[in-house]
Amino acid sequence: MRPFIYFEEKVKQVMKKVFHLILTAALLCGTSTQALATSAEEAVEAFSILPMIRSVSVSPDGKQLAIVRASTKNGDYYIEIRQTKDLSKEPVKLGASKMLVSGVSWLNNEKISVSFRQILRDGARSYWVNQFAITDTDGKGGWLVPFQSKKNIRGYNIIDSLPNNPDEVLVEVDINNNFIPDVVRMNIKTGRTKTIMRGNTKRSGGFSADADGEIRTATGWNASEGTIDLFARKKGDENWQLIFQNSPKDRENFDFVGFNDENPNEIWVNANRGENTTGIYLYNLETKQYSDRLFGLESVDVGGVMFDRFGKSLGFSYTTKQPKRYFLDAEMKSIYQGIEDLFKGEFVSISSYSDDLNQLVIRTASAKNPGTYYLLSYQQKLNKIGDVSPQIKPEMLSNVKYISYKTRDGLKQKAYVTLPSTGKAPYPTVVMPHGGPWSRDVNIYDEWTQLLASQGIMVIQPQFRGSEGYGMKHWKDGDKEWGLKMQDDMDDSALYLVKKGLADKDKLAMFGWSYGGYSAFVASLRDNNIYQCSIAGAGVSNLDRINSTLNESRFLRELQRPTIEGISPVNHVDKVNIPILVVHGDIDIRVPVKHSREFVAKLEKLNKDHKYVELKDADHFSDTLFYDHKKEFYGEMLSWFTNKCNF
């Protein structure tokens, strides 16, 4: 085994000094009046247009590129297949007239899997579904849509592309319609399948394979003990070992993240193992022992282990202000260092690469760059593929700072602050809490914060207690604090900026989506309110109903549900004391539209100052917000801040 180290966060002491200086620098940067202001109409139009390029990926042999490109402002994406040896050659175009394309992945050098979306209408009920089709890259073959019929549309997930067996993939699908997924091996040329593992009530998901395509991990719900059980098995062994049980009472972070390419009976594990933050360990299925912590940081959780297509471990990932990488593989480390030197000031990622590393798809992004794709060939020739959103110019965008602030009860929290490039402090300010709440912000480029900043509005995104990524204590501190201490953290972020002279105390507002929308509901009815208005997008208003929306994963259903306790906004509409704009998609599955309709009905009955905007055929997540949705929503949002908050 290669030598490992327990990676200490050597930059921590330096960053502490930087945090003390950062707001002073922010004040200096924020008072610039050199940039030209962008009108509200210009901003709404530019930010409403869907990305012109959605993704770029290279075939395993490096000979072809697959580009998901927009044909209209509304997206209407199609797939371009280009030859890397001659990018100017007319491309093959696939999918535009057949489906609402959302993504593409390479299955081998000739076959791609195309993901597409479709609205299904079942009587009065409408909902978006994600589907997949397989086709040839030359455009001459037909479309294979597995597991679908006119009477039955089965969702499925490709869990392994089997690089050592290019004609087959492993798929997780409910093959016998018993609501428990199974694993099948599918021939991508013929569509023929062979079931290799039946799911059951004990092991009903979380299936993953080793480099040879053997299913070696699984998870399941243990009803008798009230735990989520994680299983694994030795190479070639039919017997499953119970490795870990996670319960609502303990709720630790524990994930299998892959197999050790140097020992097939060792599993990479990302877990707490008694520490506040997660770290990387190896678990040996033969000795049933864990290694020492091989990688970890004091202030943030580890993201995971990075692998190549064949399962070779390349290094570890984690996120502070932005995602970072710690490499074990010397070649990949050298490649990244060379690329990062080419793009100073940008966040650089290799989004796709050929097996021989001679063709690299590079994506750059920053606060002032929504994203740009390049192809680097043989580490010598760099070709620009295109900008993600060319209509959004750098002069319309603003810098983002990563700061620390203290809450009223003395906790230290992180936050992203987007400072307008026009105007001067103190700024009108919007607090924008993230969704989840079990998530965290990573602001490399953020459409909503930049839209507001283009209008001279400062935005703060607090990583309030209950956010993930900052250790177990910070995560669990949010339990049963919905609308309570979690809400205090958000208010305290605004008050911190007021104290520093950056925010105008008479021009404060809150806007959020999902859990952030819930927070905006709560913000509208707090006593001694610090805000002048709020905007609640796709927000939870009724805590008694939210359990029906936690169906995306067993983890959320079983582990998050016991933590959801606090203020239920729909029961306190009489306390609303500021104008509130409510926005919701009418076919939202994650947070049903009834949450907003109920709240708005009570606002109307009590004659509270409000406006309600319902977006037709929009689901909860951003990939179902199209140009017309965004143009309506963004226009209403900017108008609300101007007319109701006096921004």
Side-chain angles (χ1 to χ4, degrees):
M1 182 185 297
R2 66 173 67 88
F4 294 101
I5 63 170
Y6 175 22
F7 179 67
E8 298 291 347
E9 195 178 359
K10 297 185 182 298
V11 297
K12 189 176 180 184
Q13 293 180 349
V14 175
M15 290 307 296
K16 283 183 178 179
K17 296 179 181 178
V18 172
F19 285 136
H20 288 300
L21 298 173
I22 199 164
L23 280 177
T24 301
L27 278 165
L28 293 174
C29 294
T31 55
S32 170
T33 57
Q34 294 179 357
L36 295 176
T38 303
S39 72
E41 293 76 16
E42 290 174 317
V44 168
E45 173 67 13
F47 286 96
S48 296
I49 296 172
L50 270 65
M52 293 292 103
I53 297 179
R54 197 174 174 96
S55 69
V56 181
S57 56
V58 65
S59 60
D61 63 7
K63 294 181 179 180
Q64 300 180 91
L65 280 184
I67 305 170
V68 179
R69 197 183 292 275
S71 60
T72 69
K73 293 179 180 181
N74 205 41
D76 297 318
Y77 294 99
Y78 64 95
I79 301 162
E80 279 185 359
I81 303 295
R82 290 186 176 272
Q83 305 303 306
T84 57
K85 66 179 180 181
D86 185 4
L87 293 174
S88 64
K89 185 179 178 181
E90 186 67 21
V92 174
K93 296 182 179 181
L94 303 170
S97 61
K98 299 179 183 295
M99 58 190 67
L100 199 59
V101 172
S102 56
V104 64
S105 60
W106 290 91
L107 302 179
N108 60 27
N109 291 316
E110 293 82 33
K111 294 278 189 179
I112 54 174
S113 172
V114 178
S115 57
F116 61 99
R117 290 166 293 161
Q118 178 182 357
I119 282 187
L120 296 185
R121 304 192 188 275
D122 181 11
R125 181 171 176 251
S126 300
Y127 55 98
W128 285 94
V129 295
N130 292 314
Q131 295 182 263
F132 300 85
I134 296 170
T135 191
D136 298 316
T137 59
D138 60 9
K140 297 178 181 178
W143 292 85
L144 172 65
V145 186
F147 312 112
Q148 314 299 324
S149 66
K150 291 183 178 179
K151 295 182 178 180
N152 187 14
I153 296 180
R154 289 192 185 99
Y156 75 94
N157 179 40
I158 296 176
I159 58 177
D160 201 303
S161 61
L162 300 177
N164 294 316
N165 185 358
D167 290 336
E168 293 185 325
V169 294
L170 289 180
V171 176
E172 184 178 290
V173 61
D174 180 10
I175 200 70
N176 55 352
N177 291 316
N178 66 348
F179 302 102
I180 298 176
D182 311 292
V183 181
V184 302
R185 189 181 288 265
M186 182 177 71
N187 186 294
I188 59 178
K189 292 182 177 179
T190 65
R192 292 174 182 166
T193 62
K194 178 182 179 181
T195 302
I196 63 170
M197 181 176 171
R198 290 283 189 189
N200 54 47
T201 55
K202 196 169 186 179
R203 287 174 288 276
S204 57
F207 303 115
S208 68
D210 62 17
D212 298 319
E214 183 182 345
I215 297 296
R216 303 272 307 282
T217 72
T219 63
W221 168 243
N222 187 329
S224 62
E225 297 189 36
T227 59
I228 294 175
D229 294 351
L230 288 84
F231 299 89
R233 56 185 177 181
K234 291 184 288 187
K235 183 72 176 174
D237 195 341
E238 293 185 357
N239 298 315
W240 290 93
Q241 298 180 26
L242 176 60
I243 308 300
F244 188 79
Q245 291 185 298
N246 209 341
S247 72
K249 180 180 178 181
D250 299 325
R251 203 182 85 231
E252 283 196 52
N253 290 295
F254 190 100
D255 292 301
F256 298 137
V257 289
F259 291 92
N260 183 8
D261 53 297
E262 296 184 352
N263 183 341
N265 284 320
E266 287 185 332
I267 306 178
W268 293 104
V269 173
N270 185 6
N272 288 100
R273 299 277 300 150
E275 302 282 350
N276 181 46
T277 57
T278 67
I280 299 297
Y281 303 82
L282 279 170
Y283 180 80
N284 190 299
L285 290 165
E286 295 176 309
T287 65
K288 300 183 180 181
Q289 298 293 316
Y290 290 92
S291 69
D292 292 333
R293 178 175 271 218
L294 303 173
F295 179 85
L297 298 96
E298 293 181 8
S299 61
V300 294
D301 294 326
V302 176
V305 181
M306 300 178 292
F307 299 94
D308 71 6
R309 202 167 70 96
F310 295 92
K312 179 184 177 182
S313 49
L314 303 176
F316 311 115
S317 63
Y318 62 99
T319 300
T320 50
K321 178 183 179 181
Q322 295 178 343
K324 296 183 181 296
R325 313 166 190 91
Y326 179 82
F327 287 102
L328 301 172
D329 185 82
E331 183 178 18
M332 188 59 75
K333 178 180 180 180
S334 176
I335 290 172
Y336 256 101
Q337 285 178 339
I339 294 172
E340 287 169 347
D341 287 342
L342 291 176
F343 299 100
K344 296 291 187 182
E346 297 277 305
F347 175 75
V348 177
S349 60
I350 300 174
S351 60
S352 176
Y353 53 88
S354 60
D355 290 340
D356 61 8
L357 297 177
N358 285 329
Q359 301 290 348
L360 307 175
V361 176
I362 300 167
R363 190 182 191 276
T364 65
S366 67
K368 293 196 171 188
N369 176 14
T372 305
Y373 283 99
Y374 300 86
L375 178 67
L376 178 62
S377 299
Y378 298 96
Q379 299 185 38
Q380 294 180 341
K381 186 178 181 181
L382 187 68
N383 285 293
K384 182 177 178 180
I385 304 300
D387 294 315
V388 171
S389 297
Q391 78 282 0
I392 300 176
K393 306 303 181 185
E395 57 268 23
M396 299 170 67
L397 303 174
S398 301
N399 291 319
V400 177
K401 309 294 181 182
Y402 189 52
I403 69 164
S404 295
Y405 71 97
K406 279 192 175 181
T407 64
R408 64 193 66 184
D409 56 353
L411 295 182
K412 187 178 180 181
Q413 315 281 36
K414 295 290 192 293
Y416 292 91
V417 179
T418 304
L419 285 142
S421 57
T422 61
K424 61 181 181 179
Y427 301 102
T429 299
V430 169
V431 178
M432 188 183 295
H434 59 69
W438 287 1
S439 63
R440 61 156 290 178
D441 289 305
V442 183
N443 190 341
I444 298 170
Y445 168 81
D446 184 274
E447 183 172 295
W448 289 349
T449 64
Q450 292 293 345
L451 168 66
L452 295 178
S454 75
Q455 301 306 294
I457 300 170
M458 182 169 63
V459 183
I460 185 166
Q461 297 167 278
Q463 306 310 295
F464 48 86
R465 71 191 77 194
S467 301
E468 287 184 310
Y470 295 97
M472 283 290 291
K473 183 183 184 303
H474 188 73
W475 184 32
K476 287 189 173 184
D477 277 348
D479 291 0
K480 301 182 180 181
E481 292 290 348
W482 284 50
L484 303 171
K485 290 181 180 179
M486 296 166 82
Q487 199 79 20
D488 291 342
D489 292 351
M490 301 169 200
D491 292 359
D492 290 346
S493 72
L495 295 173
Y496 177 76
L497 294 180
V498 170
K499 183 179 179 181
K500 291 294 179 181
L502 286 170
D504 186 337
K505 68 179 180 62
D506 296 320
K507 294 184 178 182
L508 300 178
M510 182 176 287
F511 157 58
W513 195 267
S514 192
Y515 177 82
Y518 163 83
S519 301
F521 278 138
V522 175
S524 72
L525 50 84
R526 296 204 102 188
D527 294 332
N528 302 313
N529 210 325
I530 68 169
Y531 302 109
Q532 279 67 58
C533 74
S534 71
I535 300 178
V540 173
S541 74
N542 189 331
L543 297 192
D544 293 333
R545 183 178 289 116
I546 193 175
N547 288 337
S548 64
T549 70
L550 297 178
N551 295 320
E552 292 178 4
S553 72
R554 179 75 71 179
F555 182 80
L556 289 178
R557 282 201 305 275
E558 307 303 336
L559 299 187
Q560 188 176 44
R561 183 165 46 193
T563 74
I564 300 173
E565 195 173 297
I567 293 173
S568 193
V570 75
N571 297 330
H572 302 279
V573 180
D574 60 307
K575 295 182 179 179
V576 170
N577 51 56
I578 58 173
I580 181 169
L581 171 65
V582 181
V583 182
H584 217 122
D586 69 343
I587 57 173
D588 191 328
I589 294 176
R590 183 68 175 84
V591 179
V593 68
K594 192 170 183 179
H595 280 272
S596 285
R597 289 176 178 172
E598 249 189 7
F599 193 90
V600 168
K602 290 192 175 185
L603 287 171
E604 291 175 346
K605 186 176 180 180
L606 294 167
N607 199 30
K608 300 287 186 177
D609 192 353
H610 76 284
K611 185 171 185 178
Y612 181 47
V613 175
E614 196 164 285
L615 304 174
K616 182 175 174 53
D617 287 343
D619 196 355
H620 190 72
F621 300 103
S622 59
D623 62 356
T624 64
L625 293 182
F626 295 97
Y627 171 75
D628 288 339
H629 293 138
K630 295 204 292 183
K631 195 162 186 181
E632 180 182 11
F633 170 31
Y634 293 169
E636 294 284 1
M637 177 164 62
L638 296 186
S639 175
W640 195 256
F641 286 138
T642 298
N643 298 317
K644 294 295 183 177
C645 284
N646 298 317
F647 279 13

